[in-house]
Amino acid sequence: MFFRNVLLFGELTVKSKPELIKLSSSRLGCGRLQLRNSFHNTRRGVRQPRLEPNPLENFNYASIPLNARGLLKPLIFTLGVSTGSLLGCVIWEYENLRAHAASLLRKPGTWLNAQQKKISKSEPNPISKWWNSLRPSEKVFYPILAANLLVFSAWRVKSLQPFMVKYFCSNPSGSAICLPMVLSTFSHYSALHLAANMYVLYSFMPAAVAFLGKEQFVAMYLSGGVISSFASFLYKVALNQPGMSLGASGAIMSVLSFVCMQYPDTRLSIIFLPMYTFAAGTAIKAIMGVDFAGVLFGWKFFDHAAHLGGALFGIAWCYWGGHVWGNRDKFLQYYHYLRKDSSR
């Protein structure tokens, strides 16, 4: 299967004091920001290797106290982004449908006109040819990957560090609150974190896009990202534990839970243990159970609240979308029937 090997990594999370967030680490580990002091040889006379400077080293970022009133603005922003994504999905699907209908009406009247149209049609360039050869899921995945790579590269520019921390880290106590809830979904600092998230997204996207279509998938992905950020806000404000989070894990969890609930009998396996397989429905329950335990016991390795928020949204989209857009397959069959009939 296209999502046989699965390995899910969590969002990066930093916990700190309310009055000041100081990012100081020699290396950024996968799954969280953590302090890893490099081992130095203590013998005298041994020349130590020069380490690459960390762009986040000794960077100070002031924060504001947390309170429940501060959640009103993120809540309105979350509802606005989710509603806007759904409206954009409806408009996008309508425009695609109208374009398909217009293409049917432009059918050549005679065989001669059809031959002249084929001759006058220019040969596509290599980029267009490559793009047209992609699957629908890949046409959605590569733009998302490009956005993540662009943000990942921006993290390496030292002069952009204040801007990146302010707008690409989700933080309920930061000076910018709403916009980072979406931008942090495309933000990764660790290369391993980025690779793991993109691998999982690429593995599960074909099933999600095949069922939803690229329009509904984009709406679910964006909504899942902002809703998972808001779930993280709720958890941090409730426990008065400010911290910054970044990563696409919340949005990916919505895709993962949607696919696992839609195809619960599909067999999955872990990338390092391909000999052991398990049902997708069992896998999502286990993952959500671990995240629930993380929220309950206050584990700090992942942003478990964001994971749970994304997973619950994916499950809700699975049942809600099944009722609202349950006739999509019938519509597509009817469309292909009309297209086949018009080509006779």
Side-chain angles (χ1 to χ4, degrees):
M1 296 295 292
F2 46 80
F3 47 81
R4 176 174 179 79
N5 297 327
V6 180
L7 179 63
L8 186 62
F9 283 74
E11 285 195 352
L12 302 175
T13 303
V14 183
K15 297 298 178 183
S16 62
K17 296 182 179 180
E19 65 273 7
L20 182 65
I21 295 176
K22 185 177 181 181
L23 302 180
S24 178
S25 60
S26 58
R27 221 180 256 184
L28 185 63
C30 181
R32 63 173 176 179
L33 279 170
Q34 59 184 4
L35 181 62
R36 290 184 179 178
N37 294 325
S38 301
F39 176 79
H40 293 278
N41 195 330
T42 57
R43 293 180 300 172
R44 294 183 179 180
V46 178
R47 187 175 182 180
Q48 303 298 335
R50 188 173 182 180
L51 300 176
E52 182 181 356
N54 185 357
L56 294 181
E57 188 174 1
N58 298 325
F59 183 81
N60 296 330
Y61 182 73
S63 63
I64 59 178
L66 296 178
N67 57 79
R69 294 181 180 179
L71 291 174
L72 180 59
K73 191 175 180 180
L75 175 61
I76 296 175
F77 181 78
T78 301
L79 295 176
V81 172
S82 302
T83 304
S85 299
L86 292 175
L87 291 177
C89 167
V90 173
I91 296 174
W92 191 2
E93 287 191 327
Y94 168 76
E95 291 297 330
N96 287 339
L97 177 61
R98 190 176 69 170
H100 289 318
S103 64
L104 295 177
L105 295 176
R106 289 195 299 265
K107 179 184 175 182
T110 62
W111 177 85
L112 181 60
N113 292 335
Q115 295 298 322
Q116 292 177 352
K117 185 176 181 180
K118 291 181 180 180
I119 296 175
S120 61
K121 188 176 181 180
S122 60
E123 186 71 19
N125 56 60
I127 297 178
S128 300
K129 191 175 181 179
W130 168 79
W131 180 259
N132 294 331
S133 65
L134 295 178
R135 295 178 297 176
S137 61
E138 292 176 336
K139 291 182 179 180
V140 181
F141 172 76
Y142 284 117
I144 295 177
L145 176 63
N148 281 272
L149 290 175
L150 182 63
V151 176
F152 176 78
S153 302
W155 274 110
R156 268 60 196 170
V157 181
K158 190 174 182 179
S159 60
L160 294 178
Q161 291 306 309
F163 177 82
M164 299 300 295
V165 172
K166 181 177 180 180
Y167 290 104
F168 286 86
C169 287
S170 179
N171 180 17
S173 62
S175 57
I177 298 178
C178 294
L179 194 58
M181 296 175 68
V182 176
L183 297 181
S184 62
T185 305
F186 302 91
S187 179
H188 298 81
Y189 179 80
S190 170
L192 183 59
H193 186 214
L194 172 63
N197 277 341
M198 293 299 101
Y199 173 78
V200 175
L201 180 62
Y202 183 80
S203 300
F204 284 87
M205 273 189 66
V209 174
F211 186 86
L212 295 172
K214 59 181 182 294
E215 302 90 354
Q216 295 177 33
F217 177 86
V218 172
M220 184 183 72
Y221 189 82
L222 293 177
S223 300
V226 69
I227 288 175
S228 63
S229 296
F230 183 74
S232 178
F233 280 16
L234 286 176
Y235 178 75
K236 292 172 182 176
V237 171
L239 298 183
N240 195 23
Q241 294 181 354
M244 293 187 295
S245 300
L246 65 160
S249 302
I252 293 175
M253 277 296 296
S254 65
V255 178
L256 179 65
S257 62
F258 175 86
V259 174
C260 289
M261 295 303 295
Q262 194 66 43
Y263 307 99
D265 297 328
T266 302
R267 307 301 296 180
L268 304 177
S269 65
I270 303 176
I271 185 173
F272 297 118
L273 300 172
M275 69 290 299
Y276 299 105
T277 61
F278 41 86
T282 304
I284 191 60
K285 293 176 183 177
I287 294 174
M288 293 182 66
V290 172
D291 287 324
F292 180 77
V295 170
L296 191 62
F297 297 108
W299 296 345
K300 303 297 190 298
F301 190 70
F302 296 148
D303 194 338
H304 298 283
H307 286 186
L308 273 181
L312 292 175
F313 173 74
I315 294 175
W317 190 283
C318 178
Y319 288 103
W320 177 67
H323 288 86
V324 176
W325 288 300
N327 296 324
R328 180 183 179 86
D329 293 338
K330 295 181 180 179
F331 168 76
L332 290 177
Q333 292 176 2
Y334 182 67
Y335 162 72
H336 289 302
Y337 169 78
L338 289 178
R339 189 172 183 181
K340 182 179 179 181
D341 184 71
S342 63
S343 62
R344 293 177 181 177

mmCIF file of all heavy atoms in Angstrom, residues 134-152:
data_model
loop_
_atom_site.group_PDB
_atom_site.id
_atom_site.type_symbol
_atom_site.label_atom_id
_atom_site.label_comp_id
_atom_site.label_asym_id
_atom_site.label_seq_id
_atom_site.Cartn_x
_atom_site.Cartn_y
_atom_site.Cartn_z
ATOM 1 N N LEU A 134 1.775 14.315 -12.729
ATOM 2 C CA LEU A 134 1.645 14.024 -11.304
ATOM 3 C C LEU A 134 0.234 13.560 -10.973
ATOM 4 O O LEU A 134 -0.738 13.915 -11.644
ATOM 5 C CB LEU A 134 1.978 15.270 -10.483
ATOM 6 C CG LEU A 134 3.406 15.796 -10.563
ATOM 7 C CD1 LEU A 134 3.544 17.062 -9.721
ATOM 8 C CD2 LEU A 134 4.416 14.748 -10.119
ATOM 9 N N ARG A 135 0.152 12.789 -9.899
ATOM 10 C CA ARG A 135 -1.151 12.396 -9.378
ATOM 11 C C ARG A 135 -1.793 13.586 -8.663
ATOM 12 O O ARG A 135 -1.099 14.526 -8.271
ATOM 13 C CB ARG A 135 -1.000 11.226 -8.401
ATOM 14 C CG ARG A 135 -0.482 9.941 -9.038
ATOM 15 C CD ARG A 135 -0.335 8.863 -7.986
ATOM 16 N NE ARG A 135 0.655 9.249 -6.978
ATOM 17 C CZ ARG A 135 0.938 8.521 -5.896
ATOM 18 N NH1 ARG A 135 0.268 7.391 -5.671
ATOM 19 N NH2 ARG A 135 1.855 8.925 -5.033
ATOM 20 N N PRO A 136 -3.113 13.578 -8.474
ATOM 21 C CA PRO A 136 -3.769 14.693 -7.772
ATOM 22 C C PRO A 136 -3.200 14.940 -6.381
ATOM 23 O O PRO A 136 -3.047 16.080 -5.960
ATOM 24 C CB PRO A 136 -5.237 14.258 -7.717
ATOM 25 C CG PRO A 136 -5.410 13.357 -8.879
ATOM 26 C CD PRO A 136 -4.111 12.626 -9.022
ATOM 27 N N SER A 137 -2.871 13.872 -5.656
ATOM 28 C CA SER A 137 -2.303 14.043 -4.316
ATOM 29 C C SER A 137 -0.923 14.685 -4.375
ATOM 30 O O SER A 137 -0.570 15.495 -3.513
ATOM 31 C CB SER A 137 -2.219 12.693 -3.601
ATOM 32 O OG SER A 137 -1.383 11.791 -4.314
ATOM 33 N N GLU A 138 -0.141 14.359 -5.387
ATOM 34 C CA GLU A 138 1.192 14.939 -5.507
ATOM 35 C C GLU A 138 1.129 16.413 -5.886
ATOM 36 O O GLU A 138 2.016 17.198 -5.506
ATOM 37 C CB GLU A 138 2.003 14.157 -6.542
ATOM 38 C CG GLU A 138 2.331 12.741 -6.101
ATOM 39 C CD GLU A 138 3.043 11.955 -7.183
ATOM 40 O OE1 GLU A 138 2.887 12.305 -8.382
ATOM 41 O OE2 GLU A 138 3.745 10.986 -6.853
ATOM 42 N N LYS A 139 0.091 16.817 -6.626
ATOM 43 C CA LYS A 139 -0.063 18.220 -6.968
ATOM 44 C C LYS A 139 -0.401 19.065 -5.743
ATOM 45 O O LYS A 139 -0.233 20.294 -5.772
ATOM 46 C CB LYS A 139 -1.157 18.384 -8.027
ATOM 47 C CG LYS A 139 -0.766 17.824 -9.390
ATOM 48 C CD LYS A 139 -1.854 18.060 -10.408
ATOM 49 C CE LYS A 139 -1.443 17.525 -11.786
ATOM 50 N NZ LYS A 139 -2.496 17.753 -12.809
ATOM 51 N N VAL A 140 -0.895 18.449 -4.697
ATOM 52 C CA VAL A 140 -1.133 19.149 -3.439
ATOM 53 C C VAL A 140 0.074 19.034 -2.523
ATOM 54 O O VAL A 140 0.429 19.979 -1.812
ATOM 55 C CB VAL A 140 -2.390 18.589 -2.738
ATOM 56 C CG1 VAL A 140 -2.663 19.324 -1.435
ATOM 57 C CG2 VAL A 140 -3.598 18.686 -3.650
ATOM 58 N N PHE A 141 0.726 17.876 -2.548
ATOM 59 C CA PHE A 141 1.845 17.644 -1.633
ATOM 60 C C PHE A 141 3.044 18.534 -1.943
ATOM 61 O O PHE A 141 3.647 19.113 -1.018
ATOM 62 C CB PHE A 141 2.264 16.176 -1.682
ATOM 63 C CG PHE A 141 3.532 15.887 -0.925
ATOM 64 C CD1 PHE A 141 3.533 15.819 0.457
ATOM 65 C CD2 PHE A 141 4.735 15.703 -1.597
ATOM 66 C CE1 PHE A 141 4.692 15.564 1.160
ATOM 67 C CE2 PHE A 141 5.906 15.453 -0.904
ATOM 68 C CZ PHE A 141 5.883 15.376 0.476
ATOM 69 N N TYR A 142 3.416 18.649 -3.203
ATOM 70 C CA TYR A 142 4.638 19.385 -3.545
ATOM 71 C C TYR A 142 4.561 20.878 -3.195
ATOM 72 O O TYR A 142 5.550 21.447 -2.733
ATOM 73 C CB TYR A 142 4.985 19.175 -5.016
ATOM 74 C CG TYR A 142 5.584 17.808 -5.282
ATOM 75 C CD1 TYR A 142 4.947 16.890 -6.110
ATOM 76 C CD2 TYR A 142 6.774 17.426 -4.691
ATOM 77 C CE1 TYR A 142 5.481 15.635 -6.346
ATOM 78 C CE2 TYR A 142 7.323 16.172 -4.921
ATOM 79 C CZ TYR A 142 6.676 15.280 -5.746
ATOM 80 O OH TYR A 142 7.212 14.038 -5.966
ATOM 81 N N PRO A 143 3.439 21.564 -3.390
ATOM 82 C CA PRO A 143 3.376 22.948 -2.889
ATOM 83 C C PRO A 143 3.512 23.040 -1.371
ATOM 84 O O PRO A 143 4.153 23.963 -0.857
ATOM 85 C CB PRO A 143 2.002 23.431 -3.369
ATOM 86 C CG PRO A 143 1.710 22.617 -4.583
ATOM 87 C CD PRO A 143 2.279 21.279 -4.274
ATOM 88 N N ILE A 144 2.907 22.090 -0.639
ATOM 89 C CA ILE A 144 3.067 22.088 0.816
ATOM 90 C C ILE A 144 4.518 21.842 1.185
ATOM 91 O O ILE A 144 5.078 22.495 2.079
ATOM 92 C CB ILE A 144 2.148 21.031 1.449
ATOM 93 C CG1 ILE A 144 0.683 21.395 1.229
ATOM 94 C CG2 ILE A 144 2.430 20.885 2.940
ATOM 95 C CD1 ILE A 144 -0.300 20.355 1.762
ATOM 96 N N LEU A 145 5.162 20.899 0.502
ATOM 97 C CA LEU A 145 6.576 20.626 0.756
ATOM 98 C C LEU A 145 7.439 21.835 0.447
ATOM 99 O O LEU A 145 8.357 22.168 1.210
ATOM 100 C CB LEU A 145 7.020 19.431 -0.089
ATOM 101 C CG LEU A 145 8.508 19.070 -0.023
ATOM 102 C CD1 LEU A 145 8.898 18.662 1.394
ATOM 103 C CD2 LEU A 145 8.828 17.957 -1.026
ATOM 104 N N ALA A 146 7.146 22.519 -0.656
ATOM 105 C CA ALA A 146 7.922 23.708 -1.020
ATOM 106 C C ALA A 146 7.787 24.801 0.033
ATOM 107 O O ALA A 146 8.773 25.467 0.386
ATOM 108 C CB ALA A 146 7.478 24.224 -2.388
ATOM 109 N N ALA A 147 6.577 25.002 0.553
ATOM 110 C CA ALA A 147 6.372 26.009 1.600
ATOM 111 C C ALA A 147 7.148 25.655 2.857
ATOM 112 O O ALA A 147 7.768 26.523 3.492
ATOM 113 C CB ALA A 147 4.881 26.141 1.905
ATOM 114 N N ASN A 148 7.156 24.377 3.235
ATOM 115 C CA ASN A 148 7.897 23.955 4.418
ATOM 116 C C ASN A 148 9.406 24.098 4.227
ATOM 117 O O ASN A 148 10.115 24.482 5.155
ATOM 118 C CB ASN A 148 7.544 22.504 4.760
ATOM 119 C CG ASN A 148 6.228 22.373 5.483
ATOM 120 O OD1 ASN A 148 6.155 22.443 6.705
ATOM 121 N ND2 ASN A 148 5.157 22.182 4.728
ATOM 122 N N LEU A 149 9.893 23.778 3.040
ATOM 123 C CA LEU A 149 11.320 23.929 2.769
ATOM 124 C C LEU A 149 11.728 25.400 2.772
ATOM 125 O O LEU A 149 12.826 25.743 3.226
ATOM 126 C CB LEU A 149 11.667 23.286 1.429
ATOM 127 C CG LEU A 149 11.592 21.751 1.370
ATOM 128 C CD1 LEU A 149 11.853 21.277 -0.051
ATOM 129 C CD2 LEU A 149 12.588 21.127 2.343
ATOM 130 N N LEU A 150 10.860 26.262 2.262
ATOM 131 C CA LEU A 150 11.164 27.691 2.257
ATOM 132 C C LEU A 150 11.268 28.231 3.680
ATOM 133 O O LEU A 150 12.198 28.976 4.010
ATOM 134 C CB LEU A 150 10.084 28.442 1.474
ATOM 135 C CG LEU A 150 10.274 29.950 1.332
ATOM 136 C CD1 LEU A 150 11.547 30.259 0.557
ATOM 137 C CD2 LEU A 150 9.064 30.574 0.637
ATOM 138 N N VAL A 151 10.328 27.838 4.539
ATOM 139 C CA VAL A 151 10.370 28.282 5.929
ATOM 140 C C VAL A 151 11.567 27.664 6.643
ATOM 141 O O VAL A 151 12.233 28.321 7.462
ATOM 142 C CB VAL A 151 9.059 27.925 6.641
ATOM 143 C CG1 VAL A 151 9.116 28.295 8.115
ATOM 144 C CG2 VAL A 151 7.887 28.636 5.972
ATOM 145 N N PHE A 152 11.858 26.399 6.353
ATOM 146 C CA PHE A 152 13.017 25.731 6.950
ATOM 147 C C PHE A 152 14.312 26.455 6.593
ATOM 148 O O PHE A 152 15.210 26.604 7.442
ATOM 149 C CB PHE A 152 13.070 24.282 6.474
ATOM 150 C CG PHE A 152 14.271 23.517 6.948
ATOM 151 C CD1 PHE A 152 14.328 23.023 8.237
ATOM 152 C CD2 PHE A 152 15.335 23.287 6.094
ATOM 153 C CE1 PHE A 152 15.431 22.307 8.675
ATOM 154 C CE2 PHE A 152 16.445 22.584 6.520
ATOM 155 C CZ PHE A 152 16.492 22.087 7.814
#
